[in-house]
């Protein structure tokens, strides 16, 4: 995953182990991230794809400094974020790196209007009175919402797509350079998901905002992101240009994710349900295999890497691919 230019965001061998202390029984250590290395260039999008529990959201929380790393480091604009020790440095970083969450309603305070949600971050830039009002209206227009119809409404009066646009607007209000979008469309109606993704693409192209796009939907990863990293069990198993990863998947787990994408031309369940059962067995075989620690990577084509496990067998998962 080497590049010629200096990335906006870089993760170097990031590891995070959580210690769970239940009320009864002994404590348990969970390796949420295992030696994760990634890079994201300014004005581009990197998709992190995987199923629930793969560690992809933990990457987003690590980037937004919600916990300390067990080992490794995260660089933003060339600086280790662990070195941001002063309050001014931390506040500056948190304004440049914003998070958009999966649930657009839970991310907004239901007791306040949209005006309140936008004025507060805009005021951090020193704007007052008329300039503040004008900036709030412009920010709404930037996310394709009508200021006259939106500013004085409460979150419950907006649709899911409109609420998610407000969350993006709040990121714009503090001049974010990187937006960590954690499943931003998974709770939206299918009919409006694309419009939100189109907005993110426009912000990326027009404002050079970078996106760390976290999703379980590998199809939308191709739509929004130039690069895709496939995660399972806390580690990267495949990484590269989105088109290459999707059209020429090398890792069995990547193939498994792609085989789960609905295709109206493919029959999923046979008359006796045997095909469905076979797919489930193959899927568990791939998952068990993919939990093994990864080692060296192999470059398939320029920029496209697949990571090898011990005794890696490319034929594993072929049955799941053709189920």
């Amino acid at each position: 995953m080497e590049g010629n230019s200096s990335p906006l965001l870089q993760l170097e061998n990031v590891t995070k182990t959580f210690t769970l202390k239940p009320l009864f029984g002994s404590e348990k250590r969970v390796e949420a991230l295992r030696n994760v290395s990634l890079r994201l260039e300014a004005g581009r999008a990197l998709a992190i794809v995987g199923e629930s529990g793969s560690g992809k959201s933990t990457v987003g929380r690590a980037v937004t400094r919600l916990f300390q790393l067990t080992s490794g480091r995260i660089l933003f604009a060339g600086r280790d974020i662990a070195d941001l020790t002063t309050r001014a440095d931390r506040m500056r970083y948190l304004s440049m790196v914003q998070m958009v969450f999966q649930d657009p309603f839970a991310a907004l305070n239901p007791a306040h209007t949209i005006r309140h949600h936008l004025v507060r971050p805009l005021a951090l830039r020193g704007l007052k009175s008329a300039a503040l009002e004008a900036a709030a209206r412009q920010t709404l227009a930037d996310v394709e919402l009508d200021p006259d119809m939106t500013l004085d409404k409460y979150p419950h009066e907006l649709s899911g797509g409109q609420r998610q646009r407000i969350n993006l607007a709040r990121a714009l209000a503090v001049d974010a350079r990187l937006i960590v979008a954690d499943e931003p469309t998974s709770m939206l109606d299918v009919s409006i998901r694309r419009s939100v993704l189109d907005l993110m693409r426009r912000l990326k192209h027009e404002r050079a905002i970078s996106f760390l796009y976290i999703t379980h939907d590998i199809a939308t990863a191709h739509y929004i992101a130039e690069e895709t990293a496939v995660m399972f069990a806390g580690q990267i198993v495949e990484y590269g240009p989105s088109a290459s990863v999707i059209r020429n998947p090398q890792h069995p787990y990547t193939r498994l994710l792609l085989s789960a994408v609905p295709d109206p031309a493919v029959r999923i369940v046979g008359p006796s349900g045997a095909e469905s059962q076979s797919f489930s067995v193959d899927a568990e075989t791939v998952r068990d295999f993919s939990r093994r620690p990864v080692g060296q990577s192999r470059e398939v084509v320029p920029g496209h890497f697949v990571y090898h496990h011990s005794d890696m067998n490319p034929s594993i998962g072929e049955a799941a691919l053709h189920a």
Side-chain angles (χ1 to χ4, degrees):
M1 283 181 280
E2 296 297 326
N4 295 324
S5 60
S6 177
L8 176 68
L9 177 72
Q10 186 164 5
L11 280 67
E12 297 181 350
N13 300 314
V14 169
T15 295
K16 177 59 182 179
T17 301
F18 293 101
T19 300
L20 305 180
K21 298 181 179 179
L23 186 60
F24 300 102
S26 58
E27 68 179 28
K28 180 181 180 181
R29 293 168 61 84
V30 177
E31 288 186 305
L33 298 177
R34 296 190 279 171
N35 296 311
V36 173
S37 295
L38 295 168
R39 57 186 288 135
L40 173 59
E41 310 292 337
R44 296 173 70 85
L46 167 64
I48 303 181
V49 182
E51 62 189 67
S52 297
S54 63
K56 57 188 188 296
S57 292
T58 308
V59 171
R61 287 166 170 77
V63 170
T64 51
R65 286 177 52 102
L66 292 183
F67 51 73
Q68 291 185 338
L69 304 179
T70 302
S71 63
R73 63 177 188 161
I74 298 175
L75 306 177
F76 183 79
R79 185 176 181 185
D80 190 338
I81 66 173
D83 295 336
L84 305 177
T85 55
T86 68
R87 185 178 186 278
D89 283 344
R90 291 195 300 270
M91 292 297 291
R92 189 177 304 111
Y93 178 74
L94 293 176
S95 69
M96 290 188 292
V97 179
Q98 289 284 296
M99 195 159 188
V100 173
F101 294 94
Q102 179 178 1
D103 187 344
F105 186 74
L108 300 172
N109 189 331
H112 292 290
T113 64
I114 302 308
R115 184 189 304 276
H116 173 88
H117 286 88
L118 294 181
V119 164
R120 291 193 69 190
L122 287 168
L124 295 175
R125 294 161 51 182
L127 300 177
K128 296 181 181 180
S129 59
L132 192 60
E133 174 73 10
R137 297 179 69 86
Q138 182 59 52
T139 302
L140 281 178
D142 288 342
V143 295
E144 301 166 0
L145 290 175
D146 185 344
D148 293 328
M149 299 288 293
T150 309
L151 269 175
D152 294 316
K153 285 188 175 181
Y154 289 86
H156 72 271
E157 297 178 295
L158 302 177
S159 69
Q162 289 172 325
R163 288 194 288 263
Q164 202 62 292
R165 289 171 186 269
I166 297 300
N167 289 317
L168 287 167
R170 290 197 302 180
L172 298 183
V174 291
D175 283 336
R177 294 179 59 191
L178 168 64
I179 295 178
V180 179
D182 190 357
E183 301 273 13
T185 63
S186 64
M187 293 187 68
L188 304 181
D189 292 340
V190 174
S191 60
I192 60 175
R193 288 180 184 177
R194 179 166 177 172
S195 66
V196 173
L197 291 175
D198 284 339
L199 171 61
M200 293 167 60
R201 291 179 66 179
R202 182 173 64 78
L203 295 175
K204 181 179 62 172
H205 295 144
E206 293 181 0
R207 293 176 174 248
I209 295 175
S210 300
F211 282 88
L212 189 63
Y213 178 65
I214 298 168
T215 183
H216 65 275
D217 186 353
I218 197 167
T220 61
H222 185 207
Y223 188 74
I224 186 70
E226 287 83 3
E227 285 84 32
T228 293
V230 180
M231 283 194 74
F232 183 74
Q235 53 190 356
I236 304 296
V237 297
E238 190 162 354
Y239 174 92
S242 296
S244 181
V245 169
I246 291 174
R247 294 171 186 167
N248 185 27
Q250 296 294 305
H251 195 278
Y253 182 70
T254 308
R255 298 176 185 179
L256 179 65
L257 288 180
L258 287 167
S259 68
V261 175
D263 184 345
V266 176
R267 181 164 52 91
I268 298 177
V269 181
S272 65
E275 293 181 15
S276 178
Q277 182 178 4
S278 175
F279 180 87
S280 298
V281 172
D282 292 325
E284 284 308 309
T285 300
V286 171
R287 290 189 179 98
D288 289 341
F289 169 78
S290 301
R291 288 187 180 93
R292 303 175 188 177
V294 298
Q296 295 296 316
S297 63
R298 174 174 63 88
E299 190 170 20
V300 183
V301 295
H304 182 176
F305 298 86
V306 60
Y307 290 80
H308 290 270
H309 306 265
S310 57
D311 302 322
M312 182 166 180
N313 182 357
S315 66
I316 291 179
E318 286 296 327
L321 185 63
H322 297 294

